[in-house]
């Protein structure tokens, strides 16, 4: 990061950790929340979890062969990327339900873990878990070193992100807040209890769902929040509406060479994944949120960059 | 506590904290869950939160005078305890909705805090927050001193318990899992965002809802779980179903002199509040759960006992 951008987490940390200072915050109340997709790791051209779901379809069809001739599974099995990109939201939901629910929480965990170990991002030919932003990893570590609890607050699936968040970000499962479905308690043949993942949405942790999820899962207003898209607006507003020192930052993807460039803020190509509208850019300016230009403010993007 | 009962938390703590030992558990995975009503504090003759709701009714009717002639509010306003005790579950739900929802999360917190400071239990003439069991407070402290995170997992309202859990038990809001309703994000006249408590149940954190809530909010299986009623059965089963050292304990209320005696296990009077059926007593025996006899095993019950 360049000095200007690095200065912002510094300012809030110094203000809130100075014993006897006017903005001192007790360690128990030091909460920092981070969106994941596009804020901590790459979200283009498609969310990693959606890749997981699409790549799980053959296994699902193997278990239920009657799905092979049913849409949208037929299209996914065809491997035709263009046809897949045109799938409707309803079609995508059918795929999510088929690949993320119906199994035990432990089976899901094992399947997702295996995929994460073997799947590769098509551009960098690396595991998705290596595509995290080095400057954000540094912010998280810096805040933790100063008594902050770092939470991930993601529109992605809570159970999915919990599989790798501890290893990849140092964020334990109980500090991952995400979109969450219900589970159902039951017993196997030997009488051992287990939980089955159900297609019943409890929390849609996106937009207004982010502060709602923060209240549900954390019960404290964050001191600092980091996002990158319209889905993070309410979380940043809610954070800044608290008293004392507060910090809101947005990662702006304007580096097509080293990563991706999309908006449509500042005239960049519009993207359905991680939309950053001009109105968000303008709101950030008005409300004192810091916009990070990936191109100008980050010296290094990935840990493997030279 | 007597030596036998004290030994049980000791055994699991020693086993799971011994570096290099066969049952060692890393600090991050040391999770202990505690039911609240009847396990950490008195639940008879009525849950404290229900007392709160009943005592809030006059304020609710003052704001909406048309409710004064409508049941069940009319009965509650009459102050007739016998009639109130006969209110149906549906009536009680109407009272909960009227007193726990419709306001901002911050208004609710302020109202509950004020009540807790002034309300007194009719038997002990003390604030409800003083009616916690000293031996359980000691278990919580002992486990925390050994790297365990202590969670409350309660059928009571998550927002209600969070108001006092940090001060009373040393359990921060993010470690309180309870029955939880949805909230709705909005803006006040000045444009400041806030959350409104809605009458939309997200999690009924009782019986099977306890392991489901633990998965949702913690994402880890507890190593130790403490309860006192049929509502805790699934939480204890789920805890014991994990591998390695696990502990399950049940507080049995058999001391009518110093506290209350109710079951119906072992022929004690049956209670709707904190039911402890004979089947639970038998299951505890079969599955190696430890039943604590309040009468025989606890030397002291409250911190104010001589």
């Amino acid at each position: 990061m360049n000095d200007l951008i690095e200065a912002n987490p510094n300012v809030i940390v110094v203000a809130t950790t100075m014993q006897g200072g006017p903005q001192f915050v007790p360690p128990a109340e030091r909460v920092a929340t981070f969106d994941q997709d596009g804020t901590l790791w790459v979200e283009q051209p498609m969310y990693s979890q959606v890749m997981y779901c699409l790549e799980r379809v053959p296994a699902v069809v193997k278990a239920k062969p009657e799905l092979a001739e049913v849409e949208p599974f037929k299209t996914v099995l065809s491997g035709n990327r263009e046809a897949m990109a045109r799938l409707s939201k309803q079609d995508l939901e059918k795929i999510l339900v088929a690949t993320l629910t119906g199994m035990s929480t432990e089976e899901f965990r094992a399947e997702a873990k295996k995929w994460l170990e073997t799947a590769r991002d098509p551009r960098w030919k690396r595991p998705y878990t290596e595509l995290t932003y080095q400057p954000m990893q540094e912010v998280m570590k810096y805040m933790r070193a100063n008594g902050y609890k770092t939470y991930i607050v993601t529109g992605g699936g809570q159970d999915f992100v919990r599989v790798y968040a501890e290893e990849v970000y140092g964020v334990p499962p109980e500090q991952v807040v995400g979109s969450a479905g219900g589970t159902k308690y039951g017993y196997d043949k030997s009488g051992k209890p287990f939980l089955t993942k159900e297609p019943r949405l409890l929390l849609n942790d996106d937009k207004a769902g982010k502060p709602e999820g923060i209240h549900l899962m954390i019960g404290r207003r964050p001191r600092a929040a980091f996002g990158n898209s319209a889905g993070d607006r309410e979380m940043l507003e809610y954070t800044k509406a608290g008293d004392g020192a507060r910090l809101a930052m947005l990662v702006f993807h304007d580096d097509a060479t080293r990563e991706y460039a999309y908006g449509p803020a500042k005239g960049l190509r519009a993207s359905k994944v991680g939309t950053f509208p001009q109105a968000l850019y303008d709101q950030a300016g008005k409300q004192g949120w810091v916009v990070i230009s990936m191109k100008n403010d980050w010296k290094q993007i990935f840990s493997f960059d030279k």
Side-chain angles (χ1 to χ4, degrees), chain A:
Chain A
M1 287 200 268
N2 75 14
D3 296 343
L4 182 68
I5 293 299
E6 211 164 59
N8 287 288
N10 268 350
V11 166
I12 189 167
V13 163
V14 169
T16 56
T17 60
M18 193 188 289
Q19 284 280 355
Q23 297 190 306
F24 178 77
V25 172
E29 292 171 24
R30 294 178 197 160
V31 168
T33 55
F34 297 81
D35 167 59
Q36 190 196 210
D37 294 305
T39 299
L40 295 180
W41 76 355
V42 174
E43 65 184 352
Q44 294 280 349
M46 207 181 268
Y47 299 119
S48 304
Q49 187 180 352
V50 175
M51 291 299 298
Y52 170 74
C53 294
L54 294 172
E55 295 187 9
R56 279 293 303 166
V57 165
V60 167
V61 173
K62 201 176 167 189
K64 289 186 189 172
E66 67 276 18
L67 293 179
E69 295 303 317
V70 179
E71 290 297 356
F73 304 98
K74 195 175 167 182
T75 294
V76 177
L77 286 176
S78 76
N80 181 335
R81 293 255 159 196
E82 280 180 27
M84 280 157 74
R86 282 193 306 268
L87 287 175
S88 69
K89 204 179 157 191
Q90 286 72 20
D91 281 338
L92 212 54
E93 269 170 20
K94 280 182 198 164
I95 293 165
L96 299 195
V97 166
T99 54
L100 299 175
T101 71
M103 71 293 284
S104 76
T105 52
E106 283 165 15
E107 282 163 357
F108 172 75
R109 193 181 164 78
E111 285 161 6
K113 196 164 186 295
K114 195 175 152 194
W115 182 81
L116 286 160
E117 284 163 2
T118 53
R120 295 292 178 269
D121 172 85
R123 176 167 164 190
W124 282 279
K125 323 283 183 215
R126 289 176 179 271
Y128 291 98
T129 49
E130 289 186 17
L131 302 183
T132 69
Y133 307 132
Q134 185 62 20
M136 294 306 296
Q137 291 272 15
E138 286 166 18
V139 170
M140 292 182 105
K141 278 180 199 150
Y142 172 69
M143 300 206 74
R144 285 200 292 264
N146 286 281
Y148 275 81
K149 262 192 180 174
T150 53
Y151 286 83
I152 292 174
V153 177
T154 174
Q158 185 168 281
D159 282 346
F160 187 77
V161 179
R162 281 174 169 176
V163 175
Y164 55 85
E166 192 153 29
E167 196 182 322
V168 173
Y169 303 113
V171 174
E174 65 271 24
Q175 286 166 229
V176 174
V177 179
S179 293
T183 55
K184 191 172 167 60
Y185 185 82
Y187 305 88
D188 69 13
K189 284 175 194 166
S190 72
K192 192 180 162 178
F194 68 100
L195 296 168
T196 302
K197 286 172 66 65
E198 290 202 307
R200 173 170 56 92
L201 192 65
L202 293 184
L203 175 64
N204 182 8
D205 197 49
D206 192 34
K207 300 192 173 76
K210 289 206 173 193
E212 292 162 11
I214 287 168
H215 177 75
L216 176 69
M217 306 279 293
I218 311 177
R220 298 187 194 269
R221 192 192 297 264
R223 288 274 150 190
F226 302 78
N228 81 299
S229 79
D232 302 309
R233 185 168 73 88
E234 288 84 352
M235 174 168 77
L236 270 59
E237 288 174 346
Y238 183 66
T239 299
K240 288 286 278 188
D243 53 13
R246 307 276 167 173
L247 173 67
M249 294 186 89
L250 285 167
V251 175
F252 185 53
H253 295 260
D254 56 357
D255 192 332
T257 309
R258 294 189 300 167
E259 204 243 11
Y260 292 99
Y262 52 103
K266 302 194 83 178
L268 297 182
R269 75 169 168 88
S271 170
K272 273 193 205 172
V273 171
T275 307
F276 194 130
Q278 187 62 40
L280 182 67
Y281 202 95
D282 297 342
Q283 184 173 2
K286 274 180 209 145
Q287 305 197 349
W289 305 351
V290 182
V291 177
I292 302 166
S293 158
M294 198 171 243
K295 187 175 177 178
N296 301 321
D297 297 325
W298 283 359
K299 290 173 197 156
Q300 187 181 10
I301 292 189
F302 302 111
S303 66
F304 52 80
D305 279 347
K306 286 293 153 276

